[in-house]
Amino acid sequence: MTVHEIPDELISLEHSAEQERVRLAGLTGDDYDAQLRRWRKASTAFQAAVTEHVATAQISR
């Protein structure tokens, strides 16, 4: 198995998505729905960046 360095951009995107997820705690109703949309947007950006990175680097996800 080869060790592959994870780019700082991916770490930052994952951190942002996790921060948005944590902010869901305790929310209800419209506030929850709005935060859920923010989390999904951040999570989607992270997943897209991972997909692009592994394709470019020709490594397994």
Side-chain angles (χ1 to χ4, degrees), residues 14-47:
E14 182 181 24
H15 182 72
S16 294
E18 182 59 14
Q19 284 179 321
E20 296 298 343
R21 186 195 64 77
V22 168
R23 290 184 183 120
L24 285 165
L27 298 177
T28 59
D30 291 341
D31 291 337
Y32 179 87
D33 293 341
Q35 185 58 38
L36 184 62
R37 285 190 295 275
R38 285 190 287 275
W39 171 51
R40 285 182 177 159
K41 182 177 180 182
S43 181
T44 298
F46 168 65
Q47 293 299 329

